[in-house]
Amino acid sequence: MTTTLITNIRSLVTNDPALGDGPLGLVENAALVLDGETVAWAGPAAQAPAADHRVDAGGRAVLPGFVDSHSHLVFAGDRTAEFNARMSGQPYKAGGIRTTVAATRAATDAELSANVARFMREALRQGTTTFETKSGYGLTVEDEARALRIAAEHTDEVTYLGAHIVSPDHADDPAAYVDLVTGPMLDACAPYARWVDVFCEKGAFDGDQARAVLTAGMAKGLLPRIHANQLSYGPGVQLAVELDAASADHCTHLTDADVDALASGNTVATLLPGAEFSTRAAWPDARRLLDAGVTVALSTDCNPGSSFTSSVPFCVALAVRDMGMTPDEAVWSATAGGAAALRRTDVGRLAPGARADLTVLDAPSHVHLAYRPGVPLVAEVWRRGVRVV
């Protein structure tokens, strides 16, 4: 195994306060030493140890690869017509998922796998090195299981979301669909997944149904996460904290009790500004959460209906502009925060022992991600110690 010294880094985000300034552990005029797939050393360039190979970063900024802890990539078709109608004045509703369900069921395995690969390549070019993705567009035992099998071919972070909406096949009997999701569907899907999720929302699943789905998944060894409080106030966040879910995702409509619960528990609040951008909905109040001491993650929610973006830099810019986050907070949330939402310690940071996943910006500082929105600033991406972009 050989070592690589990356030097002439103008600013290095380590996310380790022991290595540099502030929560980002920021080091100016820095260097990194990679030993195979991991980081061996990080600090000032003047103190860098020798290595087998040397790479000049050209005075650019380096930060951990983005950790996208919430996406829906196993699907076919798109919902251009729905988006066009929404931008023309029609409100967003959860039921639009049915359009994607029909297209996904009709697609072949090869088509679905090619779509996942395409979106992951697209995200990788924008600095995302760790991906979570879900099922949820099949809603039959066979289609949910194949979605997870396909997802597992592309990432280790796979989430069973049979409870995305009530299947159109069970529209007149939601209780029977919950029985399916917690019984035969779960049995078929659990071998391919790490996580279990549920869309706890009006038009999807209520608190009791969500509890049944999550506890059944937990009994099968899956870890819980939850779509919570996106379109309205509801029980999702409180349920997430009660069950020690890794993440409550969306968190747009929160009571003071919801914020207090998140602040007192281990559940990460994952904010998904692409959804608010694409639905013209109210923005989550990140400042309120951060000031209360809640751990916040930022992710894309990439899906064909409500947030068809794979760009974490775009979400960082939105969070800074419209959700009250500072550039430092947004970058931390898109890296270390995403790792926390997946309960990972090996990614989202650039410190000794961490996986050597890093993004090199064609800019001197991470602040440029918000300062220059929409500009393709990612110059290089390294994954497991190898340059892949």
Side-chain angles (χ1 to χ4, degrees):
M1 192 173 294
T2 59
T3 56
T4 300
L5 168 66
I6 303 176
T7 191
N8 194 18
I9 300 171
R10 177 64 184 87
S11 62
L12 172 66
V13 173
T14 67
N15 284 336
D16 185 341
L19 295 177
D21 294 334
L24 292 185
L26 194 66
V27 182
E28 302 293 339
N29 302 313
L32 277 172
V33 175
L34 313 182
D35 187 353
E37 297 185 354
T38 62
V39 176
W41 184 91
Q47 301 173 19
D52 299 317
H53 302 288
R54 179 186 177 96
V55 175
D56 190 330
R60 297 180 173 96
V62 173
L63 58 154
F66 298 121
V67 179
D68 192 346
S69 62
H70 184 127
S71 72
H72 304 250
L73 303 182
V74 188
F75 69 88
D78 70 20
R79 281 149 65 184
T80 305
E82 177 190 324
F83 177 80
N84 193 31
R86 192 162 63 241
M87 293 301 103
S88 303
Q90 296 182 17
Y92 173 67
K93 298 179 181 178
I97 293 167
R98 294 181 182 88
T99 303
T100 302
V101 169
T104 303
R105 288 180 178 180
T108 66
D109 289 12
E111 289 168 337
L112 293 177
S113 185
N115 277 347
V116 175
R118 176 166 65 93
F119 292 126
M120 286 190 172
R121 286 194 303 269
E122 185 179 278
L124 184 66
R125 290 194 299 269
Q126 298 172 89
T128 299
T129 52
T130 301
F131 311 82
E132 179 272 356
T133 200
K134 310 175 192 297
S135 65
Y137 293 123
L139 309 186
T140 68
V141 172
E142 295 78 11
D143 285 305
E144 285 295 293
R146 79 160 176 155
L148 292 171
R149 174 174 50 78
I150 289 167
E153 294 170 358
H154 298 274
T155 179
D156 294 332
E157 298 294 349
V158 177
T159 300
Y160 168 48
L161 184 60
H164 202 180
I165 59 167
V166 174
S167 169
D169 309 319
H170 292 79
D172 297 329
D173 194 354
Y177 185 66
V178 173
D179 289 343
L180 181 68
V181 168
T182 57
M185 187 183 290
L186 174 61
D187 291 340
C189 290
Y192 301 107
R194 181 183 180 207
W195 305 96
V196 59
D197 197 346
V198 58
F199 188 10
C200 184
E201 186 60 70
K202 293 177 181 177
F205 297 89
D206 64 23
D208 290 339
Q209 293 168 328
R211 180 188 300 278
V213 169
L214 295 180
T215 54
M218 293 166 68
K220 282 285 188 179
L222 303 182
L223 303 174
R225 51 200 320 108
I226 187 168
H227 285 60
N229 301 54
Q230 177 188 5
L231 306 178
S232 60
Y233 295 97
V237 164
Q238 298 280 348
L239 179 61
V241 176
E242 176 192 335
L243 297 180
D244 194 31
S247 182
D249 297 22
H250 289 290
C251 293
T252 309
H253 298 276
L254 301 178
T255 65
D256 289 344
D258 292 332
V259 175
D260 290 344
L262 287 165
S264 65
N266 299 315
T267 300
V268 174
T270 298
L271 307 184
L272 308 165
E276 280 70 39
F277 178 87
S278 296
T279 60
R280 287 181 174 161
W283 298 100
D285 190 347
R287 183 80 269 134
R288 180 186 180 197
L289 290 164
L290 291 163
D291 288 348
V294 177
T295 300
V296 172
L298 276 179
S299 292
T300 63
D301 191 19
C302 186
N303 76 84
S306 61
S307 183
F308 206 1
T309 180
S310 59
S311 175
V312 172
F314 174 63
C315 293
V316 166
L318 291 179
V320 172
R321 169 62 179 82
D322 291 306
M323 288 163 45
M325 301 184 87
T326 68
D328 284 12
E329 290 167 339
V331 166
W332 189 94
S333 294
T335 51
L342 295 175
R343 295 198 167 158
R344 297 275 295 270
T345 58
D346 60 327
V347 296
R349 61 192 184 97
L350 291 174
R355 205 166 79 178
D357 293 354
L358 54 109
T359 295
V360 181
L361 301 182
D362 193 11
S365 167
H366 64 280
V367 177
H368 281 237
L369 289 167
Y371 180 43
R372 304 195 68 208
V375 177
L377 293 178
V378 175
E380 298 178 14
V381 181
W382 294 58
R383 198 173 187 190
R384 296 184 181 272
V386 176
R387 183 178 174 183
V388 291
V389 173

